[in-house]
């Protein structure tokens, strides 16, 4: 199977998706302050069962205010999982026209994605993109299947739910989720979706966040789920090429293209052997700076 060209969300970057509880109107109003690429008004894990009904109206109002007050901000609503008792009413009552999309957690099959797409169509929200949560063993195992639908523009990996579902143990090193993260990133590449990486639950541990984000970027993720405003700037730095990286990529390509024009497909550049795969990496880096 070949890979597809990336699906786009009107040029919106996915370096950071900042979440906030859908039952906290005062917190939702503050979401744009840290400058995230996207905000997620959460009706799922962040809202207790007894507050979910009331939270739908709060989210709908907040989404409208954010949409109207911050035109460049991508606004998403995370509903509860498809099999849950809350899913249908979340879709019917919390989504509004003009937002960027709906975040659906714990997707596990193409059939569930179709159910989400059909619900959007029936509610008149056929323009909304789907952000697919891959955070269970079944979801990760079927990642490519879940992300294959053209309505899915973004897939994110949820480590905490995945490990809980698997019966594993979270460790500082994160080796228990390396395979799953890699599988989600690979599936995103094959389907042309954007991959967004796992949460770091240590809210203000900058060193840990940056280290985790560096691993995510190396695996092919384009951004990170954020649960604290401070994490937004760290994520943007992690997923934005530095000036030195861009300068080196430009110089490498200039030297390589000149060599190719002269009939050589491999060169030595600053002590490194460079051929087409490394040149392609440099092109990808430069492209990522203009997404």
């Amino acid at each position: 199977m070949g890979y597809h060209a990336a699906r786009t969300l009107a040029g919106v970057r996915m370096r950071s998706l900042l979440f906030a509880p859908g039952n906290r109107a005062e917190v939702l109003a503050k979401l744009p302050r840290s400058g995230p690429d996207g905000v997620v008004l959460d009706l799922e894990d962040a809202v207790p069962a007894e507050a979910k009904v009331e939270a739908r109206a709060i989210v709908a109002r907040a989404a409208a205010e954010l949409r109207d007050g911050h035109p460049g901000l991508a606004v998403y609503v995370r509903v509860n999982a498809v099999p849950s008792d809350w899913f249908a009413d979340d879709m019917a009552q919390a989504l509004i026209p003009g937002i960027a999309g709906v975040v659906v957690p714990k997707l596990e099959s193409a059939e569930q994605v179709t159910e989400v797409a059909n619900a959007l169509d029936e509610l008149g929200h056929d323009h909304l993109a789907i952000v697919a949560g891959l955070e269970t063993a079944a979801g990760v195992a079927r990642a490519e299947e879940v992300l294959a639908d053209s309505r899915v523009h973004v897939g994110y990996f949820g480590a905490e739910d995945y490990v809980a579902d698997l019966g594993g143990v979270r460790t500082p090193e994160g080796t228990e989720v390396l395979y799953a993260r890699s599988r989600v990133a690979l599936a995103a590449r094959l389907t042309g979706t954007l991959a967004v990486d796992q949460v770091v639950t240590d809210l203000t541990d900058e060193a840990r966040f940056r280290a985790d984000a560096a691993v995510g970027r190396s695996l092919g993720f384009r951004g990170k789920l954020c649960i604290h405003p401070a994490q937004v700037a760290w994520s943007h730095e992690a997923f934005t090429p530095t000036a030195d990286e861009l300068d080196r990529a430009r110089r490498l390509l200039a030297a390589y293209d000149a060599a190719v024009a002269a009939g050589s497909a491999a060169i030595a550049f600053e002590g490194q052997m460079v051929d087409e795969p490394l040149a392609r990496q440099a092109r990808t880096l430069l492209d990522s700076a203009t997404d």
Side-chain angles (χ1 to χ4, degrees), residues 229-291:
Q231 294 179 336
V232 171
W234 306 337
S235 191
H236 286 190
E237 289 182 22
F239 291 95
T240 302
T242 66
D244 287 345
E245 289 176 318
L246 294 173
D247 177 65
R248 185 178 189 279
R250 293 188 186 100
R251 289 186 292 104
L252 183 152
L253 284 175
Y256 177 75
D257 291 343
V260 169
S264 177
I267 63 169
F269 178 78
E270 297 183 354
Q272 180 183 30
M273 189 277 290
V274 173
D275 57 6
E276 179 54 31
L278 274 75
R280 185 178 175 191
Q281 290 177 23
R283 294 187 199 103
T284 300
L285 180 74
L286 293 173
D287 288 344
S288 70
T290 57
D291 284 350

Side-chain angles (χ1 to χ4, degrees), residues 170-188:
R170 286 295 267 136
T171 67
E173 298 78 18
T175 53
E176 70 282 359
V177 295
L178 178 58
Y179 168 77
R181 289 170 90 180
S182 301
R183 182 153 185 163
V184 170
L186 177 61

Side-chain angles (χ1 to χ4, degrees), residues 26 67 75 187 202 261:
E26 74 283 3
R67 175 201 62 194
V75 179
D202 293 330

Side-chain angles (χ1 to χ4, degrees), residues 155 157 181-182 184-185 195-198 216-217 219-223 239:
F157 173 61
R181 289 170 90 180
S182 301
V184 170
V196 179
D197 197 21
Q198 63 192 17
R217 182 183 173 193
L219 292 173
F221 286 94
R222 302 291 292 276
F239 291 95

Side-chain angles (χ1 to χ4, degrees), residues 17-90:
L17 282 177
L18 179 60
F19 284 67
N23 60 331
R24 299 282 305 279
E26 74 283 3
V27 176
L28 298 178
K30 297 175 183 177
L31 280 171
R33 293 184 181 179
S34 56
D37 287 337
V39 298
V40 180
L41 287 55
D42 191 9
L43 291 168
E44 197 217 7
D45 286 343
V47 179
E50 62 272 16
K52 288 186 184 293
V53 172
E54 179 185 10
R56 292 177 189 133
I58 295 172
V59 162
R61 287 195 297 271
E65 291 169 1
L66 291 169
R67 175 201 62 194
D68 297 341
H70 303 272
L73 181 65
V75 179
Y76 302 88
V77 171
R78 180 159 78 166
V79 298
N80 284 275
V82 173
S84 73
D85 293 335
W86 300 293
F87 171 76
D89 287 339
D90 286 350

Side-chain angles (χ1 to χ4, degrees), residues 106-109 133-147 156-159 161-163 165-166 176-185 187:
K106 302 178 179 68
L107 284 168
E108 296 186 333
S109 67
L134 300 167
E135 41 196 335
T136 65
V140 169
R142 302 180 190 132
E144 190 175 345
E145 172 188 330
V146 170
L147 299 180
Y156 72 84
F157 173 61
D161 281 302
Y162 170 77
V163 171
D165 186 41
L166 201 62
E176 70 282 359
V177 295
L178 178 58
Y179 168 77
R181 289 170 90 180
S182 301
R183 182 153 185 163
V184 170

Side-chain angles (χ1 to χ4, degrees), residues 177-219:
V177 295
L178 178 58
Y179 168 77
R181 289 170 90 180
S182 301
R183 182 153 185 163
V184 170
L186 177 61
R189 173 58 176 155
L190 292 173
T191 56
T193 53
L194 295 178
V196 179
D197 197 21
Q198 63 192 17
V199 162
V200 173
T201 58
D202 293 330
L203 298 180
T204 56
D205 189 336
E206 181 176 354
R208 182 168 183 179
F209 186 96
R210 288 184 181 277
D212 197 71
V215 173
R217 182 183 173 193
S218 75
L219 292 173

